[in-house]
Amino acid sequence: MKIKFNQSVSGNIVCAFLGIVLMGFTLQSKEVKSDEAQNVPVYGNWKNFTKADGLPGNKTYAVHADGDRVLVGTHEGLAVYENGDWTTYTTEDGLSHNGVIAIDVNEITGDVWLGTMGGLTRWSGGSFEIYTQMNSGMPNDLIYSVVCDGKDVWIATGGGAGKLDTYTGVWEIFTEENAPMHEPWTYSVCAGGDKIFISAWGGGVVEYNKKTKRFRDYVDPDGNMEIDLFPDDGVVHDITTGGAWSNGILWVATYFGLSRYDGVHWKGYFDHDSGLASNFINYVYAKGDVAYVCTDQGLSITDGETWITYKKNENDTNGKAIITKGEDKSEKSFSPSISHNFILGVDVQNDIIWVATSSGLSRGERMNK
């Protein structure tokens, strides 16, 4: 197999590509032409960051690229990478909790919103403001997900989903009492079009229409907890852990596989019938037509047809990318690779990918354009 790059690729990229070859780029099986993978980015030149490089801790939960800076949620606080240096913020600086699980930035105000293990924190103008269940009326202090949608901030918590109107300061809370949820435990919230999608434990995906203020739920039609009895009949499982919306496509993460919904048809993906690294999915992010799937066995990137999965070797810092398209599969090796296979977060800005893992943060550069 060989990877063919566009003729207009820059000289720098050509040099970088040759560098990868010299470092051990291995071509093992059937040829994968450039047009077969051009819609799915291939990343290399990995650089890893740990506590030794300036992170407050190696366990990283979330990452958000925000212009010239990168915000990283760790178990030991918020780390900010800017101009080659790391700065850490903790409860001593004003965070509600050092365990920062989720990050989003309001495009209107530039405010940074942090979901933590002990409340919600807004970082604005250099000051931190804390929101808790006790001082604001939000649903729960354990926040798994936060997303800014205009003036509103949505959160997914261990006690339901919540929406904060930042103009009025009023919270709305959504649980099994007023929404089609199995129980109040929610894992993720994302915005798409005129809708909000809530990933609810045992309740599939709950869609909230912002215009009509009505809910609609998407659950596994076959209701089987062990297998997906009837393929592509709906979301693959009711225990959903994440959602991402882009280009009119909703990607849904579960602990039992991945789903794709185009508004009409559902498609399910599993580790045994696609290039998905594992059915145990912690988080999903989407940009354009591509989904970035964070699993307990590596990072998978796909457009639904071509899959590129990144895995680290168990006993050294090297690893590989597994390219799968239909029945064709090939591998290429990297040195170094991503820092760990348990992936918890990812973000992409221009041609740079940032990957949060349970043991360090990884930065990769796109090799195909």
Side-chain angles (χ1 to χ4, degrees):
M1 183 209 78
K2 61 182 179 181
I3 302 291
K4 298 178 180 177
F5 289 86
N6 190 293
Q7 293 296 323
S8 62
V9 69
S10 71
N12 289 336
I13 295 300
V14 170
C15 292
F17 173 67
L18 292 175
I20 290 296
V21 173
L22 294 174
M23 285 189 293
F25 191 110
T26 58
L27 309 175
Q28 298 183 354
S29 61
K30 190 173 181 180
E31 179 179 11
V32 177
K33 298 180 179 179
S34 60
D35 60 347
E36 293 178 302
Q38 66 180 1
N39 293 328
V40 181
V42 178
Y43 294 100
N45 288 342
W46 292 100
K47 177 177 175 55
N48 298 318
F49 300 88
T50 65
K51 192 173 181 178
D53 301 295
L55 282 176
N58 288 338
K59 181 169 287 186
T60 60
Y61 296 116
V63 59
H64 187 99
D66 180 39
D68 293 332
R69 65 180 179 177
V70 179
L71 311 171
V72 184
T74 82
H75 192 68
E76 310 296 338
L78 171 69
V80 180
Y81 186 65
E82 191 169 20
N83 298 323
D85 294 322
W86 287 99
T87 303
T88 296
Y89 300 91
T90 67
T91 53
E92 294 184 357
D93 301 293
L95 291 187
S96 55
H97 194 282
N98 284 340
V100 179
I101 304 174
I103 304 170
D104 199 13
V105 178
N106 189 301
E107 295 182 352
I108 301 173
T109 64
D111 290 353
V112 178
W113 291 86
L114 307 168
T116 81
M117 296 179 180
L120 178 69
T121 300
R122 176 167 66 176
W123 187 21
S124 177
S127 299
F128 294 97
E129 181 179 6
I130 295 174
Y131 298 78
T132 66
Q133 190 174 2
M134 295 301 293
N135 74 8
S136 74
M138 66 183 209
N140 191 272
D141 289 348
L142 178 56
I143 301 174
Y144 293 106
S145 176
V146 57
V147 63
C148 299
D149 181 51
K151 64 180 177 57
D152 298 328
V153 176
W154 285 81
I155 57 174
T157 82
K163 184 189 78 168
L164 172 64
D165 184 327
T166 60
Y167 288 0
T168 64
V170 175
W171 282 94
E172 285 188 70
I173 297 175
F174 305 102
T175 68
E176 79 280 14
E177 299 291 336
N178 59 355
M181 299 179 186
H182 180 72
E183 56 180 273
W185 198 346
T186 58
Y187 261 141
S188 170
V189 60
C190 72
D194 295 323
K195 299 171 183 176
I196 299 294
F197 300 96
I198 302 166
S199 299
W201 181 267
V205 179
V206 178
E207 175 189 290
Y208 176 75
N209 189 308
K210 294 187 292 185
K211 289 184 176 179
T212 64
K213 299 187 183 303
R214 290 190 171 187
F215 288 98
R216 176 182 180 181
D217 62 330
Y218 299 94
V219 296
D220 183 5
D222 61 46
N224 194 302
M225 300 295 286
E226 303 297 329
I227 62 172
D228 189 45
L229 193 59
F230 301 109
D232 305 330
D233 60 345
V235 64
V236 298
H237 205 280
D238 289 342
I239 298 176
T240 51
T241 58
W245 190 95
S246 180
N247 275 4
I249 302 296
L250 176 66
W251 298 86
V252 180
T254 81
Y255 284 154
F256 302 86
L258 177 72
S259 292
R260 180 185 186 274
Y261 181 54
D262 64 6
V264 179
H265 303 102
W266 286 90
K267 173 68 177 175
Y269 305 94
F270 304 93
D271 54 9
H272 64 269
D273 65 5
S274 70
L276 182 62
S278 167
N279 291 336
F280 192 95
I281 304 172
N282 294 311
Y283 178 78
V284 62
Y285 166 80
K287 188 169 187 177
D289 295 328
V290 176
Y292 300 75
V293 190
C294 304
T295 84
D296 65 336
Q297 298 294 326
L299 173 69
S300 292
I301 304 176
T302 184
D303 61 358
E305 296 184 358
T306 300
W307 295 77
I308 302 177
T309 288
Y310 298 87
K311 287 179 175 284
K312 176 186 173 297
N313 297 340
E314 289 188 4
N315 300 321
D316 59 41
T317 60
N318 302 326
K320 62 187 176 183
I322 306 167
I323 304 173
T324 305
K325 185 177 177 63
E327 298 297 324
D328 300 336
K329 182 178 289 188
S330 58
E331 296 182 3
K332 59 181 179 179
S333 58
F334 289 105
S335 178
S337 182
I338 55 176
S339 60
H340 198 275
N341 286 333
F342 200 94
I343 314 295
L344 290 163
V346 64
D347 197 17
V348 175
Q349 182 174 264
N350 300 323
D351 293 329
I352 303 298
I353 187 171
W354 294 89
V355 184
T357 83
S358 64
S359 185
L361 177 77
S362 298
R363 176 191 184 276
E365 300 175 2
R366 182 166 181 170
M367 309 304 294
N368 64 334
K369 298 181 181 179

